[in-house]
Every structure is written in structure tokens, then in C-alpha cells.
Amino acid sequence: MRVLFLCYRFNSLSQRLYCELTERGYEVSVELDVHPELTREAVSLYKPDLIIAPFLRRKIPKDVWEKVPTFIIHPGPPGDRGPHAIDRALLSSKKVWGVSVLGASEEYDAGDVWAFREFPMRFAKKSSLYRNETTEGAVEAVLEAIEKFKKGKRPTPQGEGWWNEVRKEERYVRWEEGTETILRKIHASDTQPGAVANVLGKEYYIFDAHKEGELRGKPGEILAVRDSAVCIATPDGAIWVGHAREKKKESIKLPAVEVFNLPDSVKEVPLKPWESVPFPTYREIEYEERDSIGFITFRFYNGAMSTERCERLREAVRYAKKRPIKAIVLLGGEDFFSSGMNLNTIENAESPADESWRNINAMDDLCEEILTTPDKLTVSALRANAGAGGVFLALTCDLVFAREGVVLNPHYKNIGNLYGSEFWTYTLPRRVGWERARQIVNNRLPISARKAKELGLIDDVFEKTPKAFLTKLEEKIKSFINSPRFHRFIEEKKKERSSPAFLEEIKRAREHELERMRLSFYGFDTSYHIARYYFVRRKPHFRTPPYLAVHRRPQKKA
Ligand code: COA
Ligand code: THG
């Protein structure tokens, strides 16, 4: 069966569905929504049996969905219509929400229901709900809808519905409002379009908010800075704002300290990952120990790892290396494991080339810190997606585990043909051999964790829910570190990681990779700088790249 995806962007949900369908044997081609004429052209070139729109913001022309059955994924239950499904669910404190597979119709989201799933709502960022509950529900519902379609069954009419559009005023944050209301507004507007707030006399879009349990002040007062986030007082407490964007065209989302015009008097209130506090607060990195295992959680917004974040995470790894424990586990965050170096902070730097160089070196320093752990087991535990350098950061550990449903993009080329670093030329061929390593990094498409295990890229995949994944992960590690095999494993690891041959090999890998990266940052070819410019500004595509659009690849002559 041939399926055509129509997407505004090939976002996380589109990628997950792409993996689920292609790995089940469906032929899938992707067309990005550039222009209705191009959509028509894609349909006539590819001749799909079915069209799926996992993430689309414009209307599919009537002549298209009349010709080919078309599924729209709507991130709300049947009846809900419009562009702000999860936003509205959060703002109106829904207890249960859902995701639907609808037939395309003339009116937005009013088509027949092919399948849907419901789930309990969580008080979290819109993007977190989207990347977890909505995505898992959508996969199940799409598979069910395809089965129905193949059996020739018909969808059910949707009946009356309600329009979910959220007005601008509903996203406006007043610091005199309660903490809970403010958090709700910021959560409901995460990713796009952002909540608006006045900070020190100027309006900004703000994102990535967290509750603070101790610091207090007058509503709107700036109380402190930590891990690039800014703490702002509310009447009944305070919140941390992690990210913000200037209210002007072409501005990009950045760590809050880089955006607000903060007075010098604002104090940094550091909190080390291993220090514990008895109240809710915010920090990006947390270190916990249980049963001789050190767990490092790093919740970096969008998974993006700026120079400073790499340095802070390296400090946590260095701390763990000195502890009397047997294993160190990198847990990433709940929404992302890691997406590699931070293209937004690079773009914002005075010299993006210099900042790219600093950032990749900081990534490599972190990777090297992990690779040179002599006397402990290191484990990467991917609870969520990883891309580019984030995948290869994971591969610097002895063992790499992922939750089912995780999507990996183990390649760098989609951002201006980067060669990549993070010691991939050392870790990847060691796992899969050189031939397969080349295939993996040259393939620009996402792969599921399951597929990654088949390829030998990662060691194991288990459990669907984040909770079950963590429980099983801990069991697995405990059983290994308490087994007789473990002693021998550590003895061998110590020998290997202190040998001059190993140190020489990783030194050479790093130098070789950075040589190639330097060319992308400072060389004649500006592809990387151009690709980054469009990426961070979230510009729509001008065309669908051929690696996505099978139907647009030059036809081989018979
Ligand atoms: N450096 C910096 N930023 C990086 C990065 C890196 N190395 N790697 C990834 N990112 C960022 C991207 O810029 C993007 O940022 P943004 O979301 O702040 O713009 C983010 O990480 C992830 O991108 P993407 O995969 O495209 O998004 P997503 O699918 O994970 O989530 C949604 C975005 C879905 C939450 C958002 O599109 C949305 O609001 N959707 C819900 C509503 C909906 O589906 N509507 C359609 C009508 S029915
Ligand atoms: N039928 C057809 N095409 C569709 C849908 C459909 N295309 C995708 C769409 N469903 C997904 N749902 C929506 C619902 C509303 C809006 C966009 C996608 C919407 N758009 C604003 C507009 O058109 O003015 C712009 C909103 C924005 O960009 O934030 O309201 O069921 N045939």
C-alpha cells in the first residue's frame, strides 16, 4: 500500500508515524505543504492509496481528498475543531483529552471519525503532551484506521463540534495572577505561539515555565537567575522562565537571560545537580544515587545543548565519576534525550562560526569525559527522542537503551551537510562496522529505536511508558552490576580505557571530525550557516527535499 504524508513540517509526530508505517512494510512518501498545486502534483506523481496529514495547517484541496481517501490527525477528541486543540484543553483544565483520525472535509476537522484515542490530561507543556500522550494515541489510532480502511469499513460521522481557537488575550500573562494561572497560560502556548508577558517594561513571548517554592517578591519582580532561566515573582510564589523570544519578526527563541534586559543587581542562585532542596524549584540537571547507580537527568529545552549546558553536564559527569558507585546513567529529559548542539544560541552569537566551534568542542569535551570513565559502567537511557549529536552523545556510553516509541535521527546532514563529531567515527563503526556506519549517517531519515536495535546501533529497546522503562532499566542495571560478570567487565574496561592505544584512537577521531567541522564553520561552503538561518527561524520549506519525496526523485531508466 502506498501512503502519501502531507505535512507542514516533518515534525516529531510525522517522523514517528513514518517509522511505524515503513517498518510495517507500507510504502511512504512525504510532501511538505508548499503550495496546493504542488500537493496536486505530488498526488498525481505518487498515486497513493491513502493520504495522511499528521501535522498540517492548511486546507487540503477538495479535488485531492475526493480522489484519494485522506486521514487528518487532529490532536483533540472527536468534536473538537481548529488549530488550538491542546492549548484549549489546558486552558479549560480538561481532565481527559484525546487525538482523532478524521476524514478530510471542506470544513476544518469536521470530517468523519476513523478512529480516536483518549488519555488522562497532565498539567504539562503543550509540546510535552503532544510529544508523549498525543503521539502514542495517534499511532494506535492511525493503525486502527488503516485496518478499517483496508477491510473496506466506513468511518462514523462526527456530528456537532466546537471550535477551539484561543484568543490572544487568553495567552496574556499578568504577574498579579496566581502562579497556577500563569503556568497554565505558558504551558498552553509552549512551542507556538508563546505566552506574552511584560518583563521589566517590555513585552516578550515567554516559554518553558517552572514553579519556584521558596523565593518571594512583588509580582513581576525579577528575583534571581539560574541555569540561564529567570525567576519572576507572582502574588502567591514565583516561577522560573527558561526561554523567551523578542516580540518582533524574525526573532528566535533563546535562554531567558539572553533575552531580557536584566539589571546587574540580579543574582545568580546556583544549585548544583547533587544538592537537594525540600521545595519545588528549577534546575536543568539533577543527580541522584540509588543502589550504587548514579542517575543524571538533563532537561534541556528542545534537547538543545549549548556550550554552557555541555559544560554544566560535564561537571555533573565528573562529579559522578568520583562517587563510590558502579554505574552512571544518562537519562536526558522526559521530552527529549538530546538534539545535539544548540543552533539557536549559535545563531544569536556575535560570531556564529566561533560559537559553533565552542559548542562542538564543549560537546566533545563532554563525550570525552564519558568515554574516559575507567572504572564504572556508563549507560544511556533514551526515554525520548534523540537527533544528530544527541544520538552520538548516547553512543559514548557502554550500553544504550531506549524506550519503545523513541525516534532517532542518527545523522547530521540535514543541517547544511555537517560531517558531525561527538566521536561518531570511533563509536559507530565499533558497534556496526564501517559499511553500515556510512549507510546510517548518509541516510537522512528517522529510524525507530526498534530498528536501531536491529541495526546494532543501540543495545536494547523495552517498555512503552516512561515509568515502566525506568523500572526495567534499573532492574537490568542492578542485575548486571551485581553479577559475577561485572567484575571482569570493569577490569577489562579499566585496562582498555587507560591504554595509550585507546587514548590515541579517540584523540585522532576527534581531530579528524573537528577538521571537517571547521570547514563547515569557517570554510568556503556556507550551507551550514544558511541551513541554520532557516532552521532557527522556523521558516516554511520552499520545496520537499528528495530524501523525503520519493515521488520527486529522478526516475532511474529501465
Ligand atoms: N538546536 C536548537 N533547537 C532545536 C534543535 C537544536 N539542535 N533541535 C531541535 N530544536 C527545536 C526546534 O527548533 C523546535 O523548536 P520549537 O518547537 O520551539 O519551534 C523543536 O526543537 C522541535 O521541533 P519539531 O520536531 O518540529 O516539533 P515537535 O513536533 O516536537 O513539536 C509541536 C512541535 C507539535 C508541539 C507544535 O508544532 C504544535 O503546536 N503542534 C500542536 C498543534 C497541531 O498539531 N496543530 C495542527 C492543526 S490540527
Ligand atoms: N480538511 C481539509 N484540510 C485540512 C483539514 C480538514 N487540513 C489540515 C486541517 N484539517 C488541520 N486542522 C486545522 C484546523 C484549523 C486551522 C488549521 C488546521 C486554522 N488555520 C488558520 C487559518 O486557516 O486561518 C491559521 C491558524 C494558524 O496557522 O495558527 O484555523 O479537516 N480539507
Side-chain angles (χ1 to χ4, degrees), residues 5-302:
F5 278 17
L6 291 181
C7 325
Y8 172 70
R9 220 186 10 252
F10 196 44
N11 74 338
S12 57
L13 175 61
S14 314
Q15 296 190 11
R16 171 73 184 282
L17 288 170
Y18 178 88
C19 294
E20 296 286 347
L21 296 193
T22 51
E23 291 167 21
R24 278 179 175 77
Y26 295 99
E27 285 177 62
V28 181
S29 190
V30 181
E31 176 76 10
L32 300 175
D33 182 23
V34 177
H35 190 277
E37 273 315 312
L38 290 177
T39 301
R40 291 190 178 98
E41 185 180 81
V43 173
S44 74
L45 285 169
Y46 192 59
K47 302 187 178 55
D49 301 302
L50 177 69
I51 293 173
I52 302 182
F55 175 49
L56 193 64
R57 291 175 24 174
R58 279 199 299 193
K59 245 181 213 163
I60 302 173
K62 188 162 190 249
D63 54 293
V64 168
W65 56 262
E66 275 182 342
K67 194 156 74 188
V68 186
T70 302
F71 292 172
I72 306 280
I73 318 267
H74 176 71
D80 182 76
R81 286 168 202 180
H84 302 141
I86 307 174
D87 323 37
R88 178 53 73 207
L90 275 163
L91 288 172
S92 51
S93 308
K94 292 281 181 205
K95 295 272 186 304
V96 174
W97 201 239
V99 51
S100 314
V101 179
L102 308 171
S105 62
E106 264 188 291
E107 210 185 306
Y108 275 131
D109 309 330
D112 296 346
V113 182
W114 279 96
F116 69 98
R117 287 292 182 275
E118 288 188 321
F119 49 81
M121 270 294 269
R122 189 161 53 92
F123 188 59
K125 287 185 295 203
K126 165 171 73 169
S127 56
S128 180
L129 289 159
Y130 185 83
R131 289 176 187 128
N132 292 285
E133 287 87 340
T134 306
T135 299
E136 295 302 331
V139 170
E140 286 184 20
V142 165
L143 294 173
E144 180 187 317
I146 293 179
E147 285 313 311
K148 269 194 190 158
F149 170 69
K150 288 201 293 199
K151 288 187 188 136
K153 290 194 189 161
R154 299 299 312 150
T156 353
Q158 197 181 155
E160 282 299 293
W162 60 90
W163 189 246
N164 61 33
E165 196 153 324
V166 173
R167 284 167 293 117
K168 269 196 181 145
E169 311 87 80
E170 295 178 83
R171 304 189 194 269
Y172 196 91
V173 166
R174 283 174 199 81
W175 297 111
E176 297 73 31
E177 295 175 301
T179 304
E180 142 99 27
T181 306
I182 294 174
L183 280 175
R184 196 173 282 288
K185 286 182 176 178
I186 303 173
H187 284 346
S189 307
D190 190 68
T191 291
Q192 272 291 334
V196 177
N198 188 310
V199 179
L200 297 166
K202 194 174 158 189
E203 283 185 351
Y204 300 90
Y205 292 108
I206 59 173
F207 308 86
D208 182 24
H210 308 264
K211 191 172 170 168
E212 163 60 34
E214 194 194 37
L215 300 170
R216 294 289 177 266
K218 277 206 307 291
E221 188 185 333
I222 308 290
L223 302 175
V225 165
R226 176 185 299 149
D227 291 355
S228 312
V230 174
C231 187
I232 304 178
T234 62
D236 55 344
I239 62 157
W240 290 92
V241 174
H243 285 75
R245 185 159 77 78
E246 287 222 41
K247 255 189 111 185
K248 63 180 185 212
K249 218 173 156 236
E250 301 275 289
S251 65
I252 62 177
K253 203 185 286 179
L254 292 164
V257 285
E258 293 185 35
V259 181
F260 301 148
N261 208 344
L262 297 177
D264 294 337
S265 57
V266 179
K267 287 210 177 53
E268 175 93 33
V269 284
L271 180 63
K272 292 294 182 195
W274 48 86
E275 287 168 358
S276 65
V277 281
F279 47 81
T281 188
Y282 170 74
R283 66 180 132 182
E284 286 186 323
I285 308 172
E286 248 171 278
Y287 176 83
E288 280 175 299
E289 259 174 36
R290 273 191 305 277
D291 302 318
S292 295
I293 310 171
F295 294 92
I296 306 178
T297 299
F298 39 104
R299 296 183 184 90
F300 297 140
Y301 190 72
N302 283 340

Side-chain angles (χ1 to χ4, degrees), residues 398-445:
D398 303 318
L399 292 173
V400 184
F401 298 139
R403 182 176 63 81
E404 269 174 47
V406 160
V407 171
L408 304 177
N409 278 287
H411 43 77
Y412 297 89
K413 295 209 158 167
N414 289 347
I415 294 291
N417 245 326
L418 286 180
Y419 184 74
S421 193
E422 290 91 9
F423 298 88
W424 78 265
T425 59
Y426 173 76
T427 57
L428 190 58
R430 245 173 136 229
R431 281 181 167 263
V432 302
W434 258 115
E435 194 181 338
R436 203 173 253 186
R438 277 204 194 88
Q439 278 166 9
I440 289 171
V441 295
N442 287 326
N443 170 12
R444 296 168 174 238
L445 293 164

Side-chain angles (χ1 to χ4, degrees), residues 410-551:
H411 43 77
Y412 297 89
K413 295 209 158 167
N414 289 347
I415 294 291
N417 245 326
L418 286 180
Y419 184 74
S421 193
E422 290 91 9
F423 298 88
W424 78 265
T425 59
Y426 173 76
T427 57
L428 190 58
R430 245 173 136 229
R431 281 181 167 263
V432 302
W434 258 115
E435 194 181 338
R436 203 173 253 186
R438 277 204 194 88
Q439 278 166 9
I440 289 171
V441 295
N442 287 326
N443 170 12
R444 296 168 174 238
L445 293 164
I447 58 172
S448 70
R450 237 177 283 129
K451 176 89 182 184
K453 183 190 171 186
E454 260 172 55
L455 293 171
L457 189 71
I458 66 173
D459 299 290
D460 208 358
V461 180
F462 44 86
E463 299 296 347
K464 274 196 172 154
T465 67
K467 197 167 166 230
F469 175 68
L470 284 181
T471 308
K472 180 133 179 213
L473 170 81
E474 223 170 305
E475 279 166 20
K476 275 175 92 97
I477 298 173
K478 263 194 257 174
S479 104
F480 181 46
I481 61 178
N482 295 317
S483 72
R485 285 179 300 149
F486 186 68
H487 181 72
R488 217 182 42 224
F489 167 83
I490 289 297
E491 285 313 305
E492 277 170 20
K493 189 175 176 186
K494 271 190 203 158
K495 229 190 288 163
E496 187 204 16
R497 304 288 156 120
S498 59
S499 79
F502 165 78
L503 295 170
E504 181 57 29
E505 201 178 342
I506 61 164
K507 180 168 167 261
R508 256 190 295 155
R510 180 172 175 158
E511 281 169 5
H512 161 73
E513 293 164 7
L514 289 180
E515 192 72 36
R516 297 289 296 266
M517 291 299 260
R518 184 190 280 281
L519 283 179
S520 289
F521 301 160
Y522 296 102
F524 183 71
D525 179 354
T526 54
S527 317
Y528 159 69
H529 299 290
I530 293 168
R532 192 190 60 240
Y533 178 92
Y534 286 102
F535 178 86
V536 303
R537 289 177 178 78
R538 312 264 79 201
K539 294 275 192 198
H541 294 264
F542 306 125
R543 55 151 208 159
T544 309
Y547 73 90
L548 290 176
V550 174
H551 53 280

Side-chain angles (χ1 to χ4, degrees), residues 388-403:
V391 176
F392 298 100
L393 164 67
L395 296 198
T396 58
C397 286
D398 303 318
L399 292 173
V400 184
F401 298 139
R403 182 176 63 81

Side-chain angles (χ1 to χ4, degrees), residues 336-352:
F336 287 90
F337 179 79
S338 165
S339 324
M341 60 180 191
N342 191 334
L343 298 170
N344 286 43
T345 47
I346 288 172
E347 183 71 14
N348 187 48
E350 207 167 307
S351 160

